[in-house]
Amino acid sequence: MSRKYNIITYGCQMNEHDSENIAGLLESMGYEHCDDPYKADVTVINTCSVRENADKRFFGTLGQFKKIRKNDPNFVLAVCGCMPQQPRVVEEINKRFSWVDIVFGTQNISEFPDLLEERLRTGRRMRSIIDNNPDINEDDMKPVRMHRHKALVNITYGCNNFCTYCIVPYTRGREKSRPLSVICNEIKSLVPDGVIEVMLLGQNVDSYRDMAGNSFADLIRAVNDIDGIERIRFMTSHPKDISDDMIECFNTCPKLCHNIHLPVQSGSDRILKRMNRHYDRSQYLAIVDKLRSVCPDITISTDIIVGFPGENDEDFEETLDIAKKVRYDSAFTFIYSPREGTPAAKFEDQIPDSVCHERFDRLVDVMNSISYEKNQEYKGKIYEVIPEGISEKDAHTISGRTDGFKLVNFTSDKSPEKLMGRKVKVMITESKTFSLEGVEVSD
Ligand code: SF4
């Protein structure tokens, strides 16, 4: 009987892609995926330390496996991702969670098969975490993709920016760019598999520069030339590094989707400075103007942190103001919560919870009403959508994305299997705050 694995993934698309790579490693060892983490032979928890209450949630999840191990001493529990990059977390795992067999870091993924084999052979607890590997080790990575027709492709690893609230540079090390030729070869190899859409991933894609001197704009142009690829997306941009050359790609690269995620974080220059973001509101607004003049129908989403230490009413009003000026299509809004080991966690002027929540609610109201208003513009029009799956709520509804990354739930008289992996035309019949509804009108 084949051995089974399951991976529990928290966090961002970087983590999702790491999990795809880990799945690939396990499958090359002969493991098969199973849906239930409690019934697997090996379960991997791929953690995130960015979200609020990450510690509590993570240790809570670990606790749930105590009984599984007690009933089955052969069960293997592995932990990876951003949490174990923090020494205090590993110490706590070692002290309180003896049933965690393997712990490995964000830069040790390729070692996982060896760690697992060693654990199975010797029964020893295995730990392998490095802080800042200057090399990129991608040997043997053959990801098992979550989506058949779209693929996540790393272009950089790590981050050099040290925003004062962020743990990522400490958990993922310094930035390293993969060579353009390696990225393009990977993407070319995905096409025969049915991939038509790629998401180029990096903590700050705009600072991409490989050893040959290729920039992010060069990379987009090269991917645009790959036959079989129909859509190119990327995530995440940093306003301080976005170049005119990159913005021009929206004009010159027809496969580049008209969509950008451009985190603003705050509308206050004072707070942006404390966050170490290296741009101010006028520079940010100038970038938005440039994007819209090159690509008038571009959709823009953002990240905003509310209640950063020292944020006063005036600062917050400036955030509301920039949100209204830009009129984002969507936003991820967060209440600031300190991450141990980051500079902002030591700032003395932390904002009381009640103030944070009041500001957060006001911001969400503004963002949602803008999203709703913007989505009304789609009603009655026809858009190209690439279907991604069946709606979770209704088996007769297909979900997909427009070029501008709008989520569309639509019906069709064709079978979903017939529509997957190709662009279909959808008439939008209803616009909601977070999604659109429609009917397929392709021939
Ligand atoms: S750019 Fe800033 S927020 Fe983004 S990963 Fe790097 S340090 Fe974190």
Side-chain angles (χ1 to χ4, degrees):
M1 208 171 76
S2 69
R3 293 168 298 170
K4 307 272 185 223
Y5 76 91
N6 181 279
I7 305 175
I8 300 171
T9 307
Y10 295 111
C12 63
Q13 282 173 317
M14 287 282 180
N15 266 20
E16 272 179 30
H17 191 44
D18 284 349
S19 288
E20 291 182 339
N21 280 326
I22 294 164
L25 292 169
L26 283 161
E27 293 198 6
S28 66
M29 295 172 79
Y31 284 83
E32 278 176 18
H33 178 262
C34 77
D35 291 332
D36 189 341
Y38 302 109
K39 294 198 175 130
D41 298 288
V42 176
T43 292
V44 181
I45 308 177
N46 189 359
T47 62
C48 167
S49 47
V50 170
R51 297 285 180 267
E52 206 173 358
N53 288 328
D55 281 32
K56 221 164 127 190
R57 203 155 73 133
F58 167 59
F59 290 124
T61 308
L62 287 188
Q64 288 165 22
F65 284 90
K66 185 176 182 179
K67 215 162 146 198
I68 306 290
R69 155 51 61 73
K70 210 174 152 198
N71 295 338
D72 177 7
N74 294 320
F75 170 74
V76 176
L77 181 63
V79 168
C80 63
C82 289
M83 291 299 261
Q85 291 295 141
Q86 304 167 75
R88 66 174 177 86
V89 172
V90 180
E91 253 169 55
E92 187 145 357
I93 293 174
N94 290 342
K95 224 188 295 163
R96 291 179 44 211
F97 301 93
S98 58
W99 54 94
V100 176
D101 303 282
I102 301 172
V103 181
F104 60 103
T106 51
Q107 297 168 75
N108 305 79
I109 292 174
S110 60
E111 289 170 38
F112 178 51
D114 291 341
L115 297 170
L116 178 55
E117 267 169 13
E118 187 72 3
R119 160 68 183 85
L120 293 171
R121 205 170 52 78
T122 64
R124 276 176 36 220
R125 291 204 289 177
M126 308 302 298
R127 308 289 184 249
S128 184
I129 299 126
I130 44 172
D131 252 1
N132 190 19
N133 186 352
D135 303 320
I136 296 174
N137 188 354
E138 299 180 316
D139 299 350
D140 306 325
M141 293 298 184
K142 289 187 189 66
V144 176
R145 291 193 319 277
M146 274 181 292
H147 304 280
R148 185 143 175 244
H149 303 293
K150 64 175 188 177
L152 305 170
V153 177
N154 283 113
I155 67 163
T156 63
Y157 294 104
C159 182
N160 291 345
N161 291 304
F162 291 93
C163 301
T164 52
Y165 52 83
C166 182
I167 194 82
V168 168
Y170 308 92
T171 58
R172 291 204 170 251
R174 294 305 85 72
E175 183 180 282
K176 297 170 277 267
S177 295
R178 298 175 75 203
L180 179 144
S181 56
V182 171
I183 296 169
C184 288
N185 285 341
E186 179 182 336
I187 294 172
K188 281 179 198 157
S189 77
L190 297 169
V191 173
D193 249 9
V195 169
I196 55 171
E197 178 175 322
V198 286
M199 168 74 89
L200 307 176
L201 285 179
Q203 305 294 347
N204 173 5
V205 288
D206 296 301
S207 60
Y208 172 87
R209 191 158 289 274
D210 72 1
M211 298 292 266
N214 291 303
S215 67
F216 183 47
D218 294 329
L219 177 64
I220 290 175
R221 286 187 282 264
V223 178
N224 189 67
D225 286 342
I226 296 176
D227 287 340
I229 293 300
E230 294 184 28
R231 279 183 176 176
I232 305 166
R233 301 188 189 279
F234 57 86
M235 170 95 85
T236 297
S237 298
H238 197 310
K240 84 176 168 65
D241 290 314
I242 193 165
S243 69
D244 289 353
D245 193 22
M246 190 274 128
I247 293 175
E248 195 50 37
C249 288
F250 285 109
N251 203 8
T252 55
C253 298
K255 296 175 184 174
L256 184 61
C257 289
H258 290 187
N259 167 248
I260 190 166
H261 185 69
L262 192 65
V264 65
Q265 307 300 6
S266 169
S268 153
D269 287 347
R270 204 177 65 83
I271 296 298
L272 286 170
K273 203 160 185 185
R274 294 195 99 197
M275 288 176 164
N276 198 31
R277 292 290 290 175
H278 295 280
Y279 55 84
D280 61 25
R281 57 182 281 129
S282 67
Q283 287 164 332
Y284 185 94
L285 288 168
I287 294 165
V288 170
D289 283 349
K290 238 183 251 172
L291 283 163
R292 286 189 169 140
S293 72
V294 169
C295 184
D297 66 342
I298 195 164
T299 54
I300 305 179
S301 57
T302 198
D303 295 332
I304 298 183
I305 297 172
V306 171
F308 187 77
E311 181 191 76
N312 61 30
D313 287 345
E314 233 170 69
D315 297 316
F316 177 66
E317 291 301 327
E318 299 224 76
T319 296
L320 286 180
D321 181 68
I322 207 164
K324 289 178 194 162
K325 282 204 164 86
V326 176
R327 290 183 58 77
Y328 293 101
D329 289 87
S330 61
F332 296 98
T333 43
F334 307 95
I335 291 179
Y336 171 78
S337 67
R339 293 285 160 275
E340 210 178 303
T342 60
K346 294 192 203 99
F347 290 173
E348 277 174 4
D349 38 8
Q350 304 284 327
I351 307 296
D353 276 1
S354 58
V355 176
C356 288
H357 281 98
E358 188 263 332
R359 287 179 188 163
F360 179 80
D361 291 346
R362 280 179 65 201
L363 179 66
V364 168
D365 281 350
V366 167
M367 296 316 244
N368 287 353
S369 68
I370 294 171
S371 298
Y372 181 78
E373 279 165 34
K374 294 203 82 163
N375 281 352
Q376 298 312 307
E377 294 162 17
Y378 286 70
K379 214 162 152 180
K381 295 182 187 154
I382 294 174
Y383 290 87
E384 277 186 339
V385 173
I386 296 185
E388 293 183 355
I390 308 296
S391 157
E392 281 171 16
K393 290 184 191 145
D394 175 5
H396 302 291
T397 303
I398 301 159
S399 293
R401 297 270 175 186
T402 65
D403 181 284
F405 206 60
K406 297 276 178 183
L407 175 65
V408 182
N409 296 312
F410 65 96
T411 52
S412 167
D413 52 16
K414 301 188 185 78
S415 75
E417 294 73 39
K418 237 182 142 187
L419 299 178
M420 292 297 157
R422 64 186 185 93
K423 287 180 181 166
V424 297
K425 291 199 168 75
V426 175
M427 161 78 81
I428 304 303
T429 52
E430 189 63 50
S431 296
K432 300 178 171 177
T433 305
F434 304 112
S435 64
L436 306 169
E437 286 179 7
V439 327
E440 192 243 333
V441 292
S442 304
D443 39 83

Coordinates of all heavy atoms in Angstrom, one line a residue, residues 186-230:
E186 N 12.0 27.2 -17.3 CA 10.9 26.6 -16.5 C 9.6 26.8 -17.1 O 8.7 25.9 -17.2 CB 11.0 27.1 -15.0 CG 10.0 26.5 -14.1 CD 9.9 27.1 -12.7 OE1 11.0 27.6 -12.2 OE2 8.9 27.0 -12.1
I187 N 9.3 28.1 -17.5 CA 8.0 28.4 -18.0 C 7.7 27.6 -19.3 O 6.6 27.1 -19.5 CB 7.8 29.9 -18.2 CG1 7.9 30.6 -16.8 CG2 6.5 30.3 -18.9 CD1 7.9 32.1 -16.8
K188 N 8.7 27.6 -20.2 CA 8.6 26.8 -21.4 C 8.2 25.4 -21.2 O 7.4 24.8 -21.8 CB 9.9 26.9 -22.3 CG 10.0 28.2 -23.0 CD 11.3 28.2 -23.8 CE 11.7 29.6 -24.1 NZ 13.1 29.8 -24.3
S189 N 8.8 24.8 -20.1 CA 8.6 23.4 -19.8 C 7.1 23.2 -19.3 O 6.7 22.1 -19.2 CB 9.6 22.9 -18.8 OG 9.3 23.4 -17.5
L190 N 6.5 24.3 -18.8 CA 5.1 24.1 -18.3 C 4.1 24.1 -19.3 O 3.0 23.6 -19.2 CB 4.8 25.3 -17.3 CG 5.7 25.4 -16.0 CD1 5.5 26.7 -15.3 CD2 5.4 24.3 -15.1
V191 N 4.4 24.7 -20.5 CA 3.4 24.9 -21.6 C 2.8 23.5 -22.0 O 1.6 23.4 -22.1 CB 4.0 25.7 -22.7 CG1 3.0 25.8 -23.9 CG2 4.3 27.1 -22.2
P192 N 3.7 22.5 -22.3 CA 3.1 21.2 -22.8 C 2.2 20.6 -21.8 O 1.4 19.7 -22.1 CB 4.4 20.4 -23.0 CG 5.5 21.3 -23.1 CD 5.2 22.5 -22.3
D193 N 2.3 21.0 -20.5 CA 1.5 20.5 -19.4 C 0.1 21.2 -19.3 O -0.7 20.9 -18.5 CB 2.2 20.8 -18.1 CG 2.8 19.6 -17.4 OD1 2.7 18.6 -18.1 OD2 3.2 19.8 -16.3
G194 N -0.1 22.2 -20.2 CA -1.4 22.9 -20.2 C -1.4 24.2 -19.5 O -2.4 24.9 -19.4
V195 N -0.2 24.7 -19.0 CA -0.2 26.0 -18.3 C -0.3 27.1 -19.4 O 0.5 27.1 -20.3 CB 1.1 26.1 -17.5 CG1 1.3 27.5 -17.0 CG2 1.1 25.1 -16.3
I196 N -1.2 28.0 -19.1 CA -1.4 29.2 -20.0 C -1.2 30.5 -19.3 O -1.1 31.5 -19.9 CB -2.7 29.2 -20.7 CG1 -3.9 29.1 -19.7 CG2 -2.8 28.0 -21.7 CD1 -5.2 29.4 -20.4
E197 N -1.1 30.4 -17.9 CA -1.0 31.6 -17.1 C 0.1 31.4 -16.1 O 0.2 30.4 -15.4 CB -2.3 31.9 -16.4 CG -2.3 33.1 -15.5 CD -3.6 33.5 -14.9 OE1 -4.6 33.4 -15.6 OE2 -3.6 33.9 -13.8
V198 N 1.0 32.4 -16.0 CA 2.1 32.3 -15.0 C 2.0 33.5 -14.0 O 1.7 34.6 -14.5 CB 3.5 32.2 -15.5 CG1 3.8 30.9 -16.1 CG2 3.8 33.3 -16.5
M199 N 2.2 33.3 -12.8 CA 2.4 34.3 -11.8 C 3.8 34.4 -11.3 O 4.3 33.4 -10.8 CB 1.5 34.0 -10.6 CG 1.7 34.8 -9.3 SD 1.1 36.5 -9.5 CE -0.6 36.3 -8.9
L200 N 4.5 35.5 -11.7 CA 5.9 35.6 -11.3 C 6.0 36.1 -9.9 O 5.4 37.2 -9.6 CB 6.6 36.6 -12.3 CG 6.4 36.3 -13.8 CD1 7.0 37.4 -14.6 CD2 7.0 35.0 -14.1
L201 N 6.7 35.4 -9.0 CA 6.6 35.6 -7.6 C 7.9 36.2 -7.0 O 9.0 35.6 -7.3 CB 6.3 34.4 -6.8 CG 4.9 33.8 -6.9 CD1 4.9 32.5 -6.0 CD2 3.9 34.8 -6.3
G202 N 7.8 37.2 -6.2 CA 9.0 37.7 -5.5 C 8.5 38.6 -4.4 O 7.4 39.2 -4.5
Q203 N 9.2 38.8 -3.3 CA 8.8 39.7 -2.3 C 8.8 41.1 -2.8 O 8.0 42.0 -2.4 CB 9.7 39.7 -1.1 CG 9.9 38.3 -0.5 CD 8.7 37.7 0.2 OE1 7.7 38.5 0.4 NE2 8.6 36.5 0.5
N204 N 9.7 41.4 -3.8 CA 9.8 42.7 -4.4 C 10.2 42.4 -5.8 O 11.4 42.5 -6.1 CB 10.8 43.6 -3.7 CG 11.0 44.9 -4.4 OD1 10.3 45.2 -5.4 ND2 11.9 45.7 -3.8
V205 N 9.3 42.2 -6.7 CA 9.6 41.8 -8.1 C 10.4 42.9 -8.8 O 11.2 42.7 -9.7 CB 8.4 41.4 -8.9 CG1 7.8 40.0 -8.5 CG2 7.3 42.5 -8.9
D206 N 10.1 44.2 -8.4 CA 10.7 45.3 -9.1 C 12.2 45.4 -8.9 O 12.9 46.1 -9.7 CB 10.0 46.6 -8.7 CG 8.6 46.6 -9.1 OD1 8.3 46.5 -10.3 OD2 7.7 46.7 -8.2
S207 N 12.7 44.7 -7.9 CA 14.2 44.8 -7.7 C 14.9 43.6 -8.3 O 16.1 43.4 -8.1 CB 14.6 45.0 -6.2 OG 14.1 43.9 -5.5
Y208 N 14.1 42.8 -9.1 CA 14.7 41.7 -9.8 C 15.9 42.1 -10.6 O 15.8 43.1 -11.4 CB 13.7 41.0 -10.7 CG 14.3 39.9 -11.6 CD1 14.4 38.6 -11.1 CD2 14.8 40.2 -12.8 CE1 15.0 37.6 -11.9 CE2 15.4 39.2 -13.6 CZ 15.5 37.9 -13.1 OH 16.1 37.0 -13.9
R209 N 17.0 41.5 -10.5 CA 18.2 41.7 -11.4 C 19.1 40.5 -11.3 O 19.6 40.1 -10.3 CB 19.0 43.0 -11.0 CG 20.0 43.4 -12.1 CD 20.4 44.8 -12.0 NE 19.4 45.8 -12.4 CZ 19.1 46.2 -13.7 NH1 19.8 45.7 -14.7 NH2 18.2 47.1 -13.9
D210 N 19.2 39.8 -12.5 CA 20.0 38.6 -12.4 C 21.5 38.9 -12.7 O 21.8 40.1 -13.0 CB 19.4 37.5 -13.4 CG 19.6 37.8 -14.9 OD1 20.2 38.9 -15.2 OD2 19.2 37.0 -15.7
M211 N 22.3 37.9 -12.7 CA 23.8 38.1 -12.8 C 24.1 38.7 -14.2 O 25.2 39.4 -14.3 CB 24.5 36.8 -12.7 CG 24.3 36.1 -11.3 SD 25.1 37.1 -10.0 CE 26.7 36.3 -9.9
A212 N 23.3 38.5 -15.2 CA 23.6 39.0 -16.5 C 23.1 40.5 -16.6 O 23.2 41.1 -17.7 CB 22.9 38.1 -17.6
G213 N 22.5 41.0 -15.6 CA 22.0 42.4 -15.6 C 20.6 42.6 -16.1 O 20.2 43.7 -16.3
N214 N 19.9 41.5 -16.3 CA 18.5 41.6 -16.8 C 17.6 42.1 -15.7 O 17.7 41.7 -14.5 CB 17.9 40.2 -17.2 CG 18.6 39.7 -18.4 OD1 18.6 40.4 -19.5 ND2 19.3 38.6 -18.3
S215 N 16.7 43.1 -16.0 CA 15.8 43.7 -15.1 C 14.5 43.0 -15.1 O 14.3 42.1 -16.0 CB 15.6 45.2 -15.5 OG 14.9 45.2 -16.7
F216 N 13.6 43.4 -14.2 CA 12.2 42.8 -14.2 C 11.5 43.1 -15.6 O 10.8 42.2 -16.1 CB 11.4 43.4 -13.1 CG 10.1 42.8 -12.9 CD1 9.9 41.4 -13.0 CD2 8.9 43.5 -12.7 CE1 8.7 40.8 -12.9 CE2 7.7 43.0 -12.6 CZ 7.5 41.6 -12.7
A217 N 11.7 44.3 -16.1 CA 11.1 44.6 -17.4 C 11.6 43.6 -18.5 O 10.8 43.1 -19.3 CB 11.3 46.0 -17.8
D218 N 12.9 43.4 -18.5 CA 13.5 42.4 -19.4 C 12.9 41.0 -19.3 O 12.6 40.4 -20.3 CB 15.0 42.3 -19.2 CG 15.8 43.6 -19.5 OD1 15.3 44.3 -20.4 OD2 16.8 43.8 -18.8
L219 N 12.7 40.7 -18.0 CA 12.1 39.3 -17.8 C 10.7 39.3 -18.3 O 10.3 38.3 -19.0 CB 12.1 39.1 -16.3 CG 11.4 37.7 -15.8 CD1 12.2 36.5 -16.4 CD2 11.4 37.6 -14.3
I220 N 9.9 40.3 -18.1 CA 8.5 40.3 -18.6 C 8.5 40.2 -20.1 O 7.7 39.4 -20.7 CB 7.7 41.6 -18.1 CG1 7.5 41.5 -16.6 CG2 6.4 41.7 -18.9 CD1 6.9 42.8 -16.1
R221 N 9.4 41.0 -20.7 CA 9.4 40.9 -22.2 C 9.8 39.5 -22.7 O 9.2 39.0 -23.6 CB 10.4 41.9 -22.8 CG 9.8 43.4 -22.7 CD 10.8 44.4 -23.3 NE 11.9 44.7 -22.5 CZ 12.0 45.8 -21.7 NH1 11.0 46.6 -21.6 NH2 13.1 46.0 -21.1
A222 N 10.7 38.9 -22.0 CA 11.1 37.5 -22.4 C 10.0 36.5 -22.2 O 9.8 35.6 -23.0 CB 12.4 37.1 -21.6
V223 N 9.3 36.6 -21.1 CA 8.1 35.7 -20.8 C 7.0 36.0 -21.8 O 6.4 35.0 -22.3 CB 7.6 35.8 -19.4 CG1 6.4 34.9 -19.1 CG2 8.7 35.5 -18.4
N224 N 6.8 37.2 -22.2 CA 5.8 37.6 -23.2 C 6.1 36.9 -24.5 O 5.1 36.6 -25.3 CB 5.8 39.1 -23.3 CG 4.7 39.6 -24.2 OD1 3.5 39.5 -23.7 ND2 4.9 40.1 -25.4
D225 N 7.3 36.6 -24.8 CA 7.7 36.0 -26.1 C 7.5 34.4 -26.1 O 7.8 33.8 -27.1 CB 9.2 36.3 -26.4 CG 9.3 37.7 -26.9 OD1 8.3 38.3 -27.3 OD2 10.5 38.2 -26.9
I226 N 7.1 33.9 -24.9 CA 7.1 32.4 -24.9 C 5.7 31.9 -25.5 O 4.6 32.3 -25.0 CB 7.2 31.9 -23.4 CG1 8.6 32.3 -22.9 CG2 7.0 30.4 -23.3 CD1 8.9 31.9 -21.4
D227 N 5.8 31.1 -26.5 CA 4.6 30.6 -27.1 C 3.8 29.7 -26.2 O 4.4 28.9 -25.4 CB 5.0 29.7 -28.3 CG 5.5 30.5 -29.5 OD1 5.2 31.7 -29.5 OD2 6.2 29.9 -30.3
G228 N 2.5 29.9 -26.2 CA 1.6 29.1 -25.4 C 1.2 29.8 -24.1 O 0.2 29.4 -23.5
I229 N 2.0 30.7 -23.6 CA 1.6 31.5 -22.4 C 0.7 32.6 -22.9 O 1.0 33.3 -23.8 CB 2.9 32.0 -21.7 CG1 3.7 30.9 -21.1 CG2 2.5 33.1 -20.6 CD1 3.0 30.0 -20.1
E230 N -0.5 32.7 -22.2 CA -1.5 33.7 -22.6 C -1.6 34.8 -21.6 O -2.0 35.9 -22.0 CB -2.8 33.0 -22.8 CG -2.8 32.0 -24.0 CD -4.2 31.4 -24.2 OE1 -5.2 32.1 -23.9 OE2 -4.2 30.3 -24.7

